[in-house]
Amino acid sequence: MAGFVLAYLILIALLVFANASFVSWNDLVRSITSPAIQNSLYLTFLTCTVSATLSVLFAVPIAYTLSRFQFRGRTLLDTLFDIPIILPPLVIGLSLLILFNAFPTSNHSLESWLNARGIQVTFHIPAIILAQFTVAAAFAIRSMKNTFDQISPRTEMVALTLGCSRAQAFWKVTLPQAGRGVLSAGLLAWARALGEFGPILIFAGATRGRTEVLSTSVFLEVNIGNLSGAAAVSLILITLAVTTILIIRLAGDRK
């Protein structure tokens, strides 16, 4: 068993080491101080934070419903929420593009309806947030459902017998117990949004200075042949991802 652990651990370590060894300190500084990468970094933090917040807002009531209530079609509903996790990312991006620009028809699409009201989604910042949210929310729902499954409903039942309504029991009893789980779900959604690439590329594009986030920065740097710049941006992504995962682990392990 130790052999399997070491083999996979060595593979991951070598991937990170290979990336780091390909980048000089000057390459890293040049990438961080580049106006394009700085704008990409700012847009990444902005969109990931918004999409993670939206993911938690949707995940809490959905996960609570799936965890606490039994109803007809519950298994099907639970399965549908896993579709963004299972589908290839490019399929999600293509589906979002078709939904907004060719449904129900190309002349009377959702995008044209929004454009008539001065709102632009496709190939703009809202498309980045929507693409990230579509996938990140599914992970947040799964995380929050596990949290609610581990919280005994007995305390809620006691609160109900003491005169609380179902909503009061949720807000005053259950949600405070799930506080650490909410934090973990939010950080997990943020990390998932950070690594999202396929849906963003298809639905929002990779326009430098407008819809460029760190994941698409790597794509753009590779396209222009700047492998050292792409590796430098990859190191930034790795650092952010590892930091986020460590916070999730620490938040989950604390007693």
Side-chain angles (χ1 to χ4, degrees):
M1 294 184 71
F4 283 108
V5 172
L6 286 174
Y8 191 59
L9 184 61
I10 289 172
L11 174 61
I12 296 175
L14 286 176
L15 289 174
V16 177
F17 179 76
N19 204 324
S21 64
F22 193 77
V23 181
S24 66
W25 178 254
N26 290 333
D27 291 332
L28 187 60
V29 172
R30 190 181 305 112
S31 294
I32 294 176
T33 57
S34 167
I37 300 303
Q38 287 183 348
N39 182 75
S40 173
L41 191 61
Y42 166 77
L43 189 58
T44 299
F45 273 95
L46 174 65
T47 55
C48 286
T49 302
V50 173
S51 60
T53 302
L54 290 174
S55 296
V56 171
L57 288 176
F58 278 81
V60 169
I62 292 173
Y64 181 78
T65 301
L66 293 175
S67 177
R68 288 292 188 265
F69 301 104
Q70 297 292 332
F71 51 89
R72 184 175 297 179
R74 177 179 174 275
T75 302
L76 176 60
L77 186 65
D78 198 9
T79 303
L80 291 176
F81 287 128
D82 284 336
I83 288 179
I85 299 176
I86 300 171
L87 282 179
L90 291 177
V91 173
I92 295 176
L94 180 62
S95 300
L96 285 170
L97 187 66
I98 294 173
L99 172 64
F100 273 79
N101 294 273
F103 183 82
T105 65
S106 57
N107 293 328
H108 299 87
S109 64
L110 180 58
E111 184 71 27
S112 61
W113 184 84
L114 292 171
N115 289 344
R117 287 154 181 79
I119 302 174
Q120 295 178 316
V121 176
T122 307
F123 302 124
H124 289 80
I125 293 177
I128 301 175
I129 296 173
L130 189 56
Q132 293 173 339
F133 166 77
T134 302
V135 179
F139 285 87
I141 291 170
R142 197 54 52 206
S143 177
M144 283 306 308
K145 185 178 184 298
N146 291 335
T147 297
F148 287 128
D149 285 344
Q150 294 173 11
I151 297 175
S152 174
R154 180 179 175 82
T155 53
E156 290 180 69
M157 298 300 103
V158 172
L160 292 175
T161 60
L162 294 176
C164 286
S165 65
R166 171 68 72 172
Q168 289 174 327
F170 170 77
W171 286 106
K172 296 182 179 180
V173 177
T174 306
L175 193 59
Q177 295 183 73
R180 195 165 287 125
V182 173
L183 175 62
S184 295
L187 290 172
L188 178 62
W190 197 93
R192 181 60 255 180
L194 175 69
E196 208 56 59
F197 171 71
I200 295 176
L201 182 65
I202 299 296
F203 188 42
T207 305
R208 176 140 284 178
R210 191 173 71 178
T211 59
E212 179 188 4
V213 291
L214 287 178
S215 57
T216 53
S217 292
V218 176
F219 173 76
L220 291 175
E221 294 296 334
V222 170
N223 274 353
I224 62 176
N226 185 14
L227 295 182
S228 60
V233 177
S234 297
L235 279 181
I236 298 174
L237 276 169
I238 292 172
T239 303
L240 291 173
V242 170
T243 302
T244 306
I245 293 172
L246 281 175
I247 295 174
I248 294 173
R249 293 289 185 268
L250 292 174
D253 290 342
R254 287 183 58 190
K255 295 184 180 179

